Amino acid sequence: MEANLVRLNEHFRLPFLPELIAQKVEGEEGGELSDGDIGLIEREHLRLRAELERQHAASSLPEHSDARADLHDLLVRLRLGAR
């Protein structure tokens, strides 16, 4: 899982993100965003959440995994040194 916003934005290319990151890095501790920045973030949050929901609805992945027994078996074999 990647949590570095700079690296993530190399893929997603959100045009406003570099400026927000720079504000965070260069700004004062506890600094505040402008009303415009807050509005942008709120709109992007709604847009990205809608996209996530669309992708979820289109996904063919099962809602829940049924691999619990297989995972347990793998962990037991690894702990016992078996392959």
Side-chain angles (χ1 to χ4, degrees), residues 46-59:
L46 292 174
R47 183 184 72 78
L48 292 169
R49 183 163 182 103
E51 177 63 22
L52 183 62
E53 290 170 359
R54 275 192 297 278
Q55 293 295 327
H56 177 263
S59 174

Side-chain angles (χ1 to χ4, degrees), residues 14-27:
L14 300 175
F16 58 88
L17 199 55
E19 182 179 338
L20 289 175
I21 291 170
Q23 286 177 350
K24 174 68 176 170
V25 171
E26 298 165 6

